[in-house]
Amino acid sequence: MKRTLLVLFAGLLLLSLPRRAAIATDQILEITDVGGELTVTATQPVTFWEQPTLKAGETVTVPGKLTLTNSTDVQQRIQLQAVKLPYQDKAALEYLNHLHLTVYLGSVVVYDDAYSRINGENNLYQEIVLEAGASLTFTLYLNCDYTYSGTTFTNSAILDWEFLPLAQEDEKAEPAPAIEDPMLTEWLIAGVITVAILVGWTLFMKKRRS
């Protein structure tokens, strides 16, 4: 009897724990140069953070990996322009209010807030510099709080993370020659003429007296 009660108690305890979502999917965004035009393209299937379906109390068991790869032969500068959120869908935005997203870059937290606020003031729109052939990886954690009672999730919307290549810095232009003040030039010419006249007059007077 005691054994049966223990099994029932253990079952109830497991049911009370947060439910776990499926294993996360990694995403690779590749920077390429085709005919002088830079593009950033997703190379993997849609991930749990691009189309979340977590239910109340669920969390991902394995963090996601968002990797940026520079496949060009020169250094590239890119920046997260925005995450494409379904602003026209109130139910989807309400769902995103209940999702908590934490993003790491190495050991540094670069975002830790509701998913719906990722385009706000606390965004992670920092500039990223990647050398030719180099990669950089963000680690993402996602969970849904217990208060979410809806069933629509994001209504099949895909939340694209839109990274934008930045223009290369222009080479430093050589300083333009200083623009001379025309009045100063005129005064200098007048001064030279005056000195010449004085010198000539002095020599003339000395020659006349001798």
Side-chain angles (χ1 to χ4, degrees):
M1 184 65 180
K2 288 184 178 180
R3 187 172 182 178
T4 302
L5 290 174
L6 287 173
V7 171
L8 289 174
F9 179 75
L12 291 173
L13 182 62
L14 288 173
L15 289 175
S16 67
L17 293 175
R19 289 172 291 175
R20 303 289 175 174
I23 296 175
T25 304
D26 295 348
Q27 182 61 275
I28 299 175
L29 300 181
E30 185 178 19
I31 308 167
T32 56
D33 184 347
V34 179
E37 181 179 354
L38 291 175
T39 61
V40 181
T41 307
T43 62
Q44 304 298 316
V46 175
T47 63
F48 70 81
W49 68 85
E50 293 168 318
Q51 195 171 44
T53 57
L54 297 179
K55 298 177 182 178
E58 283 190 333
T59 185
V60 295
T61 55
V62 178
K65 302 289 184 182
L66 174 59
T67 301
L68 305 176
T69 299
N70 179 9
S71 296
T72 72
D73 56 3
V74 296
Q75 182 191 85
Q76 298 294 341
R77 296 163 53 242
I78 62 173
Q79 189 176 54
L80 178 62
Q81 183 180 27
V83 176
K84 189 176 180 181
L85 301 183
Y87 289 113
Q88 75 288 348
D89 190 333
K90 292 183 178 180
L93 285 180
E94 178 61 25
Y95 173 58
L96 294 176
N97 280 334
H98 291 275
L99 292 182
H100 190 93
L101 176 67
T102 304
V103 183
Y104 284 83
L105 181 54
S107 60
V108 178
V109 176
V110 293
Y111 185 79
D112 186 26
D113 205 341
Y115 203 145
S116 58
R117 299 191 186 100
I118 195 168
N119 290 330
E121 294 180 356
N122 298 323
N123 58 52
L124 48 89
Y125 301 162
Q126 57 188 345
E127 180 182 320
I128 299 168
V129 178
L130 285 176
E131 299 298 330
S135 297
L136 176 147
T137 299
F138 292 99
T139 305
L140 299 91
Y141 296 84
L142 190 65
N143 66 76
C144 183
D145 65 42
Y146 285 96
T147 62
Y148 180 66
S149 58
T151 57
T152 59
F153 309 118
T154 59
N155 285 326
S156 300
I158 297 177
L159 314 181
D160 287 329
W161 289 48
E162 299 173 335
F163 283 86
L164 177 70
L166 301 177
Q168 298 298 324
E169 293 182 357
D170 295 332
E171 295 182 3
K172 293 183 178 179
E174 294 187 9
I179 300 176
E180 296 182 356
D181 187 341
M183 291 298 295
L184 178 60
T185 302
E186 291 179 7
W187 279 105
L188 288 174
I189 293 173
V192 170
I193 294 173
T194 301
V195 171
I197 291 173
L198 289 175
V199 170
W201 177 257
T202 301
L203 293 174
F204 173 76
M205 292 301 294
K206 285 183 177 181
K207 185 176 181 180
R208 186 175 181 184
R209 290 174 184 173
S210 58

